[in-house]
Amino acid sequence: MPPLPLASTLLLLLAILSSSSPAAGQRDGPATGTSRFREAPLFYNAPSCPAPLPPGPDSACSPDALVHVAMTLDVTYLRGSMAAVLSVLQHTACPQSIFFHFVATSAAGYLSATVAGSFPSLAFQIHPFADEPTVAGLISTSVRAALDRPLNYARSYLPRLIPQCVRRVVYLDSDLVLVDDIAGLASTPIPDGVALAAPEYCNANFTSYFTPTFWANPALSVAFEGRRACYFNTGVMVMELGRWRDGGYTERIEEWMDLQKRMRIYELGSLPPFLLVFAGRIAAVEHRWNQHGLGGDNYRGLCRDLHPGPVSLLHWSGKGKPWARLDGGRPCPVDAIWAPYDLLLRTTFPIDDS
């Protein structure tokens, strides 16, 4: 029998997943208990790769670490993070030469044990987010509560958290999977003097990311003067950490956040401060490395199709997350691509002894 076309395969997977999903309303998160995950397969380096990194945090500065990956880690989005890690390891030629940096605000012991349990050979370190109190005081409410968590702003503080021996890091959100070798993304050319690379979308309505108050004030809108400012999604970025520190970019982002507390100049979480500092000043990455928007908009999370063109990374940015839609029995067609990376074993419910 000839292989099914992609569309038919997705529909078949979707039917199977929908029929076997838990009851509608069940969700992964701290409010209902702690989740347990199965052990992932072990993936081995190709002969051309360096010697494998030892598991744990001790090899962060090893020259054998070919790619450094940074992600946030918390109980709420742990299921997505675990799937993302599995996808990175499964599709790279040198899975034992990747070092993961996880930023966490709480439950570090549980998170570390969970990651090590599913990935016993993983080289990783959990970095406590020491700047959380500062960030919490700078955050303004946005269109969706999930965007207002301090951990959502941790990407701005990676150069403070990650050891200075690490020159370049790939930042990934927790609601994505890779279907290509992350080494290709990590090797993106970044010109001298540029600290950041990401896919740009210059056809997007850039003005909509800021309020009329911002655009009506020449002292503010002059920030984009002389720049070809385009929208970019901060869920997938390649960061030159030394250049970031030298440019004081964390402090610049904080300055815009502080202004936002006094004068409403944007509505959408951690993205606009990044645009104010970096739009028009980044290196371009091919669009295949961030097929974003698969979670729909920030209000209803409706289904969306893949963008035309090749795909190396699928990103469920927006309100709709694939694990929640699968558990609710209402998955979108693209959620069938995420499902094979789901390591969730079962959910346990601790007894309340208060």
Side-chain angles (χ1 to χ4, degrees), residues 18-322:
S18 297
S19 64
S20 60
S21 62
Q26 184 172 338
R27 295 292 182 266
D28 176 32
T32 55
T34 54
S35 300
R36 297 183 61 188
F37 299 86
R38 61 183 171 86
E39 185 173 333
L42 179 59
F43 301 98
Y44 296 94
N45 277 359
S48 59
C49 299
L53 299 172
D58 296 335
S59 54
C61 293
S62 171
D64 292 331
L66 292 183
V67 177
H68 288 266
V69 178
M71 301 176 66
T72 59
L73 202 61
D74 68 353
V75 175
T76 303
Y77 286 92
L78 182 57
R79 190 172 172 186
S81 301
M82 299 288 277
V85 172
L86 175 58
S87 74
V88 170
L89 299 176
Q90 182 171 328
H91 294 287
T92 184
C94 302
Q96 296 171 298
S97 301
I98 297 180
F99 193 97
F100 284 84
H101 301 266
F102 297 114
V103 181
T105 58
S106 61
Y110 163 71
L111 295 170
S112 180
T114 301
V115 171
S118 289
F119 305 101
S121 300
L122 192 70
F124 75 95
Q125 181 175 3
I126 292 188
H127 304 274
F129 189 26
D131 288 288
E132 181 187 8
T134 300
V135 175
L138 289 170
I139 292 175
S140 302
T141 55
S142 65
V143 296
R144 186 157 57 92
L147 301 177
D148 300 336
R149 303 177 307 137
L151 201 57
N152 199 46
Y153 291 77
R155 69 198 83 190
S156 304
Y157 295 84
L158 291 175
R160 294 183 184 177
L161 299 169
I162 294 176
Q164 297 206 5
C165 61
V166 179
R167 181 180 65 87
R168 177 180 288 199
V169 69
V170 177
Y171 172 80
L172 299 176
D173 269 353
S174 298
D175 53 355
L176 55 79
V177 294
L178 281 85
V179 292
D180 203 347
D181 194 332
I182 195 171
L185 175 60
S187 62
T188 298
I190 301 181
D192 291 343
V194 176
L196 189 67
E200 291 183 293
Y201 303 90
C202 293
N203 292 329
N205 182 8
F206 187 80
T207 59
S208 66
Y209 291 97
F210 302 93
T211 63
T213 299
F214 173 85
W215 294 113
N217 190 328
L220 299 177
S221 59
V222 72
F224 293 116
E225 187 174 315
R227 297 156 60 181
R228 186 175 180 267
C230 297
Y231 160 76
F232 64 92
N233 180 277
T234 56
V236 179
M237 301 183 291
V238 185
M239 304 169 68
E240 285 283 349
L241 300 179
R243 297 176 189 174
W244 182 296
R245 297 184 192 103
D246 292 343
Y249 292 118
T250 297
E251 293 76 14
R252 296 190 194 185
I253 289 172
E254 287 179 335
E255 288 172 1
W256 285 111
M257 292 175 65
D258 183 60
L259 178 62
Q260 166 76 352
K261 294 286 288 187
R262 295 179 280 116
M263 175 188 294
R264 195 79 173 175
I265 59 173
Y266 56 80
E267 302 289 350
L268 193 62
S270 63
L271 171 64
F274 257 87
L275 297 179
L276 284 159
V277 174
F278 287 109
R281 295 170 175 164
I282 69 173
V285 173
E286 292 180 71
H287 286 181
R288 64 190 178 94
W289 286 110
N290 194 354
Q291 283 262 350
H292 68 288
L294 301 181
D297 59 25
N298 282 304
Y299 299 97
R300 291 182 293 171
L302 300 177
C303 294
R304 287 184 179 174
D305 295 327
L306 292 174
H307 309 297
V311 181
S312 293
L313 184 152
L314 297 96
H315 186 189
W316 280 261
S317 58
K319 184 177 181 180
K321 302 306 175 189

